[in-house]
């Protein structure tokens, strides 16, 4: 009533005011009613569109994709206020409430339930296609991966689970169902052999199915990148000739030689890094002992000169002195007898007999502090410094901080010259002890670093920022030195590319991705299928994303994180583990039925690889009816017996074939793959192999994607060139590489998984007693290996302390008493008397 009176006062008193108010009220109500009706109409149309989408999808057997759902979400109307307020007034109350409720529909659930029904119906309706498109009928897992035609689909495929069959059938399904025409389908592989196999398989299987495959194309990433660049720039690029010949590391060496010849500064920095800084820890208490001095029963760090020193800092000094041609003695007793009740006779770190100068190297950081665990260190320093003052002996002092900052070496050289010593710098002086890093190895490190820098489009500024933000594991001073060397080489590399009017592998991908992202070119593919997705780099991920970054385009990425073994070449496992973050929402499917290996091999390999918690969990099942025997370990007495052992294993397999214990597959000989960690393992192969067997040697890396009846790993031993390889990545690689996997030997563990799962029937490992690799020790500890009767060495026991080595009998030099010691010595010093615990 109050509102009515105020309205009348506003327009005037009397009957005329009431009439005016009523007209205005009526007009307002009419406008609200019209607005409400318009809003109701929009809601009805949207509801009908959703319903029609579902009905049509079910009728056509066509997947409701993520793009379909997003389009419906984008068109979802917003109900007007008038619709909410006035629906009841116009008799639309029930319909209005119903429509308002429908607007809250979870379209993801609608699509999911509809697609589930489509999948079930398509499995039945397309059974003949699914059973015949490949040589063997597709499994339910494979068929689901073919039919699940969402915009972004990742398939996590176990070894031997038929991922290629999925890719072939997916392309065939898209063509046959009219989803994507053949000429708009692209398959991407990582090497020429894989691309050629995909192309041949597509053409052969689709032809057999009566499907026209004309236009379907399988390419390597690099070949496709060149096509993109040629289309975008109207000028085809060519690969640099030295890369075509596989001479990339050699080109880095040539560039380095020229830079060393033209610049004394570059030469010195290159030598300092190669000899002293590569792989060194970042703190004075870091590092792992790698040497043993039997005379003093001391574990420590072996120098180029051959002695064992007590710290990494002392090794840095000793190796510098060796390269500088300085005559020195390590821990020479002090020239005065200063032993007392609290101190043994003083032995300074270094002594220079030619000039009678002593040298102490202090484990101090840049703030002048020793490691917190070094108790009484400051007091010991003061005592030693006072001795030199008291006895008026000449003392040179260096600190860890100054040495790792490089400035300490120049200061040390100046001090030595001041005291009358001459510097005869020879970085290639033959070493009697530890082996200096080779020029080629440092060149290889630079090339690997370059691959990551280019793939991740990192600038000098970006790397400097990464260095500032780096964790303590990245040695900042030495990393800074490496970056100085790297950018000098990088500039020369790019100069040579320009002079040759050529391009390198990384620029092929990065440049192509840039053209696609900018819209300068559109290659027009609506379905992209990527093989071995676990090996994709960030650059490859950019290219793939740019290819499908338009509405109604489809990506199927197939990979196995358990087989990610190419991080050194730029692979970034996070491309797979964070698939949806990079490419958009979509289902992740699994292929967990293996058509290759026995269940025993599968379980052994799976349990081994998933020790790393970052790996996807899979429940892999074998299609074979029998579990098969466990893996065998042939243990020999010394490294020279490995070749004999390999020949014995091959001869034993051949005998069992002759005796009818082993039956070849129809029309084939029994196949055996001998898988080495390195190419030089091929030297263990016998000159002639048994005629009953088809024997091949491969490296474990090159075996991926292949299979054989039997697999033999001929050299599963410990050491830098063992399996696992103990050649650690230089810490500077962390600046350019993907986030590191902190699990020990993570990539080597995956490589072992690849090697194990190449076998259909059985795996044999050959190792040396006392040199068993950490992987052999672990497999023994887990009960996954049985000792082969072909072994010539006795059984082994795992070290109870480190659990990484085994116990082997040794003899003490001083009294010839026998004891058991850990094979991981000197990093593990566990010992046990023979009488205490006989084997």
């Amino acid at each position: 009533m109050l509102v009515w009176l105020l309205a009348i006062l506003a327009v005037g008193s009397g009957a005329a005011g009431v009439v005016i108010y009523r007209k205005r009220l009526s007009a307002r109500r009419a406008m609200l009613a019209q607005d409400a009706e318009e809003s109701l109409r929009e809601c009805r149309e949207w509801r009908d569109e959703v319903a029609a989408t579902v009905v049509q999808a079910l009728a056509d057997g066509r997947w409701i994709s993520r793009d379909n759902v997003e389009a419906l979400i984008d068109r979802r109307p917003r109900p007007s206020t008038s619709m909410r307020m006035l629906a009841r007034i116009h008799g639309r109350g029930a319909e209005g409430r119903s429509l308002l409720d429908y607007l809250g529909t979870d379209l993801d659930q609608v699509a999911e339930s509809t697609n589930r029904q489509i999948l079930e119906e398509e499995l039945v309706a397309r059974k003949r296609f699914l059973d015949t498109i490949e040589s063997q009928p597709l499994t339910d897992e494979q068929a689901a991966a073919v039919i699940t035609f969402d915009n972004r689909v990742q398939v996590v495929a176990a070894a031997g689970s038929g991922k290629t069959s999925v890719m072939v059938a997916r392309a065939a399904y898209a063509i046959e169902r009219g989803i994507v025409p053949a000429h708009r389908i692209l398959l991407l592989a990582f090497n020429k052999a894989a691309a050629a196999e995909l192309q041949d398989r597509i053409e052969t299987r689709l032809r057999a199915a009566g499907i026209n495959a004309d236009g379907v194309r399988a390419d390597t990433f690099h070949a496709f990148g060149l096509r993109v660049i040629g289309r975008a720039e109207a000028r085809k690029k060519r690969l640099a000739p030295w890369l075509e010949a596989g001479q990339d590391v050699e080109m880095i060496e040539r560039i380095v030689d020229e830079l060393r010849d033209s610049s004394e500064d570059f030469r010195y920095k290159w030598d300092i890094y190669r000899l002293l800084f590569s792989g060194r820890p970042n703190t004075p208490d870091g590092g792992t002992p790698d040497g043993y001095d039997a005379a003093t029963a001391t574990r420590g760090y072996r120098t180029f000169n051959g002695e064992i020193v007590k710290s990494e800092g002392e090794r840095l000094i000793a190796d510098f002195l060796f390269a500088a041609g300085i005559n020195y003695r390590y821990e020479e007793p002090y020239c005065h007898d200063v032993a007392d009740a609290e101190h043994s006779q003083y032995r300074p770190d270094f002594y220079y007999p030619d000039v009678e100068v002593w040298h102490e190297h202090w484990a101090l950081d840049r703030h002048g502090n020793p490691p917190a665990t070094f108790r009484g260190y400051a007091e010991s320093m003061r005592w030693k410094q006072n001795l030199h003052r008291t006895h008026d002996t000449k003392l040179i002092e260096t600190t860890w901080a100054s040495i790792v900052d490089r400035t300490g070496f120049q200061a040390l050289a100046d001090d030595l010259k001041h005291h009358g010593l001459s510097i005869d710098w020879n970085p290639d002086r033959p070493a009697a002890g530890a082996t200096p890093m080779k020029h080629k190895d440092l060149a290889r490190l630079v090339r690997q670093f370059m691959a990551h820098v280019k793939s991740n489009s990192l600038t000098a500024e970006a790397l400097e920022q990464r260095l500032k933000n780096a964790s303590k594991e990245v040695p900042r001073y030495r990393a800074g030195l490496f970056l100085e060397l790297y950018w000098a080489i990088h500039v020369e590399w790019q100069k040579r590319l320009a002079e040759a009017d050529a391009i390198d592998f990384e620029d092929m991908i990065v440049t192509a991705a840039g053209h696609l992202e900018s819209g300068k070119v559109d290659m027009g593919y609506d379905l992209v299928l990527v093989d071995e997705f676990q090996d994709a780099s960030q650059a490859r991920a950019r290219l793939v994303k740019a290819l499908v970054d338009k509405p109604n385009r489809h990506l199927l990425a197939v990979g196995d994180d358990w087989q990610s073994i190419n991080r050194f070449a730029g692979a970034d496992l996070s491309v797979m583990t964070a698939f949806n973050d990079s490419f958009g929402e979509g289902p992740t499917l699994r292929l967990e039925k293996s058509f290759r290996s026995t269940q025993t091999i599968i379980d052994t390999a799976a349990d081994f690889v998933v020790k790393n918690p970052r790996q996807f969990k899979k429940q892999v099942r074998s299609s074979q009816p029998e579990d098969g025997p466990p893996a065998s370990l042939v243990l020999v007495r010394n490294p020279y017996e490995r070749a004999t052992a390999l020949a014995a294993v091959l001869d034993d397999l051949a005998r069992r074939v002759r005796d009818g214990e082993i039956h070849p597959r129809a029309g084939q000989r029994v196949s055996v793959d001998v898988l080495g960690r390195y190419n030089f393992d091929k030297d263990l192969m016998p000159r002639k192999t048994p005629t009953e067997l088809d024997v091949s040697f491969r490296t474990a890396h090159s075996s991926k994607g292949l299979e054989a009846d039997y697999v033999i790993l001929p050299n599963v031993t410990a050491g830098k060139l063992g399996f696992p390889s103990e050649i650690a990545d230089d810490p500077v690689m962390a600046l350019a590489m993907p986030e590191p996997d902190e699990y020990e030997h993570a990539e080597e563990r995956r490589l072992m998984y690849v090697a194990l799962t190449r076998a259909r029937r059985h795996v044999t490992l050959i190792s040396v007693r006392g040199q068993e690799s950490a992987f052999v020790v672990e497999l023994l500890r887990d009960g996954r290996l049985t000792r082969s009767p072909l072994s010539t060495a006795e059984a082994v026991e795992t070290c109870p302390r480190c659990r990484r080595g085994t116990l082997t009998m040794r003899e003490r030099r001083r009294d010839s008493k026998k004891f058991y010691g850990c094979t991981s010595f000197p990093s593990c010093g566990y010992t046990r008397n023979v009488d205490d615990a006989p084997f």
Side-chain angles (χ1 to χ4, degrees):
M1 178 65 71
L2 178 60
V3 173
W4 179 72
L5 288 173
L6 289 173
I8 291 174
L9 290 172
V11 300
S13 59
V18 173
V19 170
I20 293 171
Y21 168 74
R22 287 176 174 170
K23 284 182 178 180
R24 290 183 178 178
L25 183 59
S26 177
R28 176 62 176 162
R29 284 178 173 172
M31 183 177 66
L32 292 174
Q34 181 180 356
D35 183 66
E37 187 59 41
E38 178 67 20
S39 187
L40 285 166
R41 182 186 61 76
E42 290 176 355
C43 293
R44 285 190 214 103
E45 290 177 353
W46 186 79
R47 176 197 61 194
D48 295 344
E49 183 183 7
V50 173
T53 299
V54 171
V55 170
Q56 192 68 48
L58 291 170
D60 296 342
R62 291 284 187 87
W63 204 261
I64 299 179
S65 70
R66 185 68 202 170
D67 280 358
N68 298 148
V69 173
E70 292 291 345
L72 289 171
I73 290 174
D74 289 343
R75 290 196 290 272
R76 190 198 309 257
R78 293 184 178 182
S80 66
T81 304
S82 54
M83 173 186 163
R84 295 177 184 276
M85 291 175 55
L86 303 178
R88 289 181 179 274
I89 297 174
H90 288 274
R92 304 291 188 185
E95 182 189 20
R97 285 194 300 274
S98 174
L99 286 170
L100 288 173
D101 289 342
Y102 195 83
L103 290 178
T105 298
D106 186 334
L107 292 183
D108 288 325
Q109 286 188 356
V110 170
E112 184 179 346
S113 61
T114 305
N115 289 335
R116 196 181 306 119
Q117 184 177 341
I118 289 171
L119 175 60
E120 293 170 359
E121 293 176 356
E122 283 288 280
L123 288 172
V124 175
R126 311 291 163 187
K127 186 177 189 309
R128 184 177 180 282
F129 167 86
L130 297 168
D131 285 350
T132 60
I133 189 61
E134 279 284 87
S135 56
Q136 296 293 324
L138 300 185
T139 65
D140 288 346
E141 291 175 333
Q142 292 172 322
V146 169
I147 295 168
T148 302
F149 226 93
D150 217 325
N151 298 105
R152 307 289 182 266
V153 179
Q154 177 171 229
V155 177
V156 180
S161 60
K163 61 184 178 60
T164 305
S165 292
V166 168
M167 297 179 72
V168 171
R170 174 88 159 191
Y173 182 79
I175 298 168
E176 188 193 52
R177 298 284 284 110
I179 303 170
V180 180
H183 70 280
R184 298 182 73 87
I185 298 176
L186 173 69
L187 296 92
L188 288 173
F190 279 78
N191 58 58
K192 290 180 180 179
E197 180 191 353
L198 280 172
Q199 189 74 52
D200 179 68
R201 189 104 156 245
I202 285 278
E203 293 173 359
T204 302
R205 296 311 308 170
L206 270 63
R207 188 185 307 116
I211 300 172
N212 187 350
D214 290 350
V216 177
R217 183 154 184 170
D219 258 338
T220 65
F221 274 92
H222 292 123
F224 179 72
L226 280 178
R227 281 208 291 137
V228 172
I229 295 168
R231 180 89 60 89
E233 300 180 5
R235 189 167 185 271
K236 188 174 181 180
K237 292 275 189 179
R238 74 180 186 114
L239 181 64
W242 64 86
L243 289 167
E244 224 164 4
Q247 301 290 308
D248 53 340
V249 175
E250 287 75 9
M251 175 55 77
I252 295 290
E253 287 187 281
R254 286 200 292 274
I255 291 172
V256 168
D257 285 344
E258 292 178 18
L259 288 171
R260 292 178 80 228
D261 288 343
S262 63
S263 169
E264 284 292 331
D265 182 62
F266 183 92
R267 173 187 287 271
Y268 176 72
K269 289 176 179 176
W270 175 268
D271 291 337
I272 283 288
Y273 193 89
R274 179 176 67 86
L275 296 175
L276 306 180
F277 284 160
S278 178
R280 293 289 187 255
N282 198 35
T283 57
D285 57 344
T288 302
D290 58 5
Y292 179 70
D293 186 344
T296 61
T298 303
R299 287 186 293 152
Y301 304 83
R302 187 172 300 280
T303 69
F304 295 156
N305 208 29
E307 69 262 319
I308 304 300
V309 298
K310 294 176 181 176
S311 71
E312 281 281 13
E314 291 176 350
R315 172 153 64 181
L316 281 168
I317 296 291
D319 289 347
F320 173 81
L321 295 172
F322 176 82
I326 299 296
N327 178 31
Y328 70 90
R329 295 175 192 165
Y330 179 67
E331 290 199 336
E332 175 85 358
Y334 190 47
C335 55
H336 299 280
D337 186 357
V338 294
D340 58 27
E342 296 182 3
H343 302 94
S344 59
Q345 175 58 19
Y346 174 38
R347 292 173 176 265
D349 293 330
F350 300 95
Y351 175 60
Y352 305 110
D354 297 339
V355 291
E356 297 183 350
V357 173
W358 306 89
H359 177 181
E360 281 288 1
H361 178 66
W362 309 118
L364 302 179
D365 62 20
R366 58 195 178 93
H367 302 293
N369 299 319
T373 55
F374 286 19
R375 297 180 183 276
Y377 192 84
E379 292 79 3
S380 175
M381 278 182 59
R382 286 193 291 272
W383 180 75
K384 294 172 182 178
Q385 289 167 332
N386 285 333
L387 285 178
H388 288 284
R389 282 192 288 268
T390 300
H391 295 283
D392 195 26
T393 48
K394 292 177 282 188
L395 175 66
I396 291 173
E397 299 178 76
T398 55
T399 68
W400 167 268
S402 67
I403 290 300
V404 297
D405 191 17
R406 306 197 315 267
T407 58
F409 286 124
Q410 186 58 55
L412 174 58
D414 291 342
D415 276 347
L416 294 172
K417 286 188 280 189
H418 173 74
H419 287 290
L421 291 174
S422 299
I423 303 297
D424 178 21
W425 184 255
N426 181 3
D428 297 314
R429 180 175 284 110
T435 305
M437 187 182 200
K438 296 176 181 177
H439 288 281
K440 192 176 194 73
D441 291 336
L442 184 50
R444 186 175 290 109
L445 173 67
V446 170
R447 178 66 184 114
Q448 290 176 2
F449 192 83
M450 179 184 288
H452 288 279
V453 167
K454 289 187 155 221
S455 292
N456 294 307
S457 300
L458 295 172
T459 63
E461 293 74 22
L463 282 173
E464 286 296 332
Q465 190 58 48
R466 285 190 173 200
L467 181 57
K468 288 179 182 177
N469 300 333
S471 66
K472 66 179 182 180
E473 284 75 21
V474 179
R476 287 171 173 76
Y477 301 123
R478 299 193 299 285
L481 172 60
F482 179 84
L483 289 179
E484 289 181 46
L485 296 168
Y486 170 75
W487 285 116
I489 297 166
H490 180 104
V491 167
E492 288 299 315
W493 177 277
Q494 293 301 109
K495 181 180 175 182
R496 281 162 173 73
L497 287 177
E499 290 171 348
D501 191 23
I503 196 169
D504 62 21
F505 290 117
E506 294 77 33
D507 287 344
M508 281 182 191
I509 307 297
V510 172
T511 305
H515 287 321
L516 291 168
E517 289 167 341
S518 69
K520 190 171 185 178
V521 65
D522 180 6
M523 301 302 285
Y525 290 108
D526 292 329
L527 173 59
V528 177
L529 304 107
V530 185
D531 194 14
E532 303 287 4
F533 201 60
Q534 75 279 352
D535 289 332
S537 62
Q538 285 295 335
R540 286 182 171 92
R542 277 183 58 198
L543 185 144
V544 171
K545 184 178 180 182
L547 268 175
V548 297
D549 199 20
K550 288 193 175 182
N552 301 314
R553 289 192 171 174
H554 303 269
L555 167 64
L556 179 80
V558 185
D560 181 5
D561 63 307
W562 292 3
Q563 297 186 69
S564 178
I565 58 174
N566 289 314
R567 185 170 180 262
F568 68 94
D572 186 345
L573 190 54
S574 69
V575 172
M576 186 172 180
T577 56
F579 178 81
N580 295 130
D581 294 339
S582 299
F583 297 96
E585 290 300 315
T588 293
L589 308 179
R590 280 174 163 74
L591 301 181
E592 297 180 321
K593 185 174 184 180
S594 172
F595 298 94
R596 179 185 301 151
S597 305
T598 66
Q599 192 64 49
T600 300
I601 293 173
I602 289 169
D603 290 345
T604 297
D607 288 352
F608 178 79
V609 79
V610 296
K611 295 280 179 66
N612 183 346
R614 288 191 65 187
Q615 307 296 154
F616 284 135
K617 300 294 183 186
K618 307 184 191 79
Q619 299 298 321
V620 186
R621 312 172 308 282
S622 174
S623 63
Q624 299 187 27
E626 298 181 4
D627 287 347
S632 298
L633 172 65
V634 177
L635 200 60
V636 297
R637 291 167 296 192
N638 60 65
Y640 306 106
E641 292 186 1
R642 291 171 299 176
T644 305
L646 174 56
V649 174
L650 293 173
D651 287 342
D652 185 62
L653 285 172
R655 176 193 60 77
R656 292 167 62 197
V657 172
R658 292 193 300 271
D659 293 348
E661 295 178 38
I662 295 175
H663 301 285
R665 292 187 296 168
Q668 300 181 32
R669 287 188 297 172
V670 171
S671 59
V672 182
D673 270 3
V674 179
L675 302 182
R677 174 60 184 84
Y678 293 97
N679 269 311
F680 59 69
D681 289 330
K682 189 174 184 178
D683 295 341
L684 300 173
M685 291 284 288
R687 290 185 178 180
K688 296 182 68 175
T689 58
T691 57
E692 295 85 355
L693 307 175
D694 183 5
V695 183
S696 300
F697 175 85
R698 315 177 198 280
T699 64
H701 275 97
S702 64
S703 74
K704 192 165 72 165
L706 305 176
E707 57 186 49
D709 293 319
Y710 293 85
V711 162
I712 304 171
L713 279 64
N715 189 21
V716 194
T717 53
K720 282 194 172 182
L721 299 178
F723 198 173
S725 169
E726 294 177 13
I727 301 174
D729 282 341
D730 191 297
V732 299
M733 288 297 294
L735 293 175
M737 289 179 77
E739 179 185 353
D741 191 334
E742 299 298 340
Y743 199 81
E744 188 175 32
H745 299 312
E747 186 137 338
E748 290 287 305
R749 183 173 291 270
R750 292 192 288 266
L751 183 60
M752 175 62 83
Y753 171 83
V754 168
L756 294 174
T757 54
R758 299 311 94 191
R760 299 188 191 99
R761 303 183 185 182
H762 189 252
V763 180
T764 300
L765 281 64
I766 298 175
S767 190
V768 179
R769 183 71 172 88
Q771 298 177 30
E772 301 91 349
S773 88
F775 289 169
V776 166
V777 174
E778 181 180 321
L779 290 167
L780 283 170
R781 192 175 66 231
D782 293 347
R784 294 294 186 179
L785 280 178
T786 59
R787 183 172 173 274
S788 167
L790 298 174
S791 298
T792 60
E794 69 274 16
V796 297
E797 179 185 355
T798 303
C799 173
R801 177 182 295 171
C802 71
R803 296 175 62 83
R804 297 180 52 176
T806 59
L807 299 186
T808 187
M809 189 174 290
R810 295 201 175 107
E811 186 177 285
R812 270 198 288 267
R813 180 176 295 185
R814 66 176 183 270
D815 56 11
S816 299
K817 186 174 182 180
K818 288 183 167 57
F819 65 97
Y820 288 121
C822 179
T823 56
S824 292
F825 183 85
S827 61
C828 175
Y830 179 82
T831 61
R832 188 167 71 198
N833 292 331
V834 172
D835 296 336
D836 291 345
F839 282 104

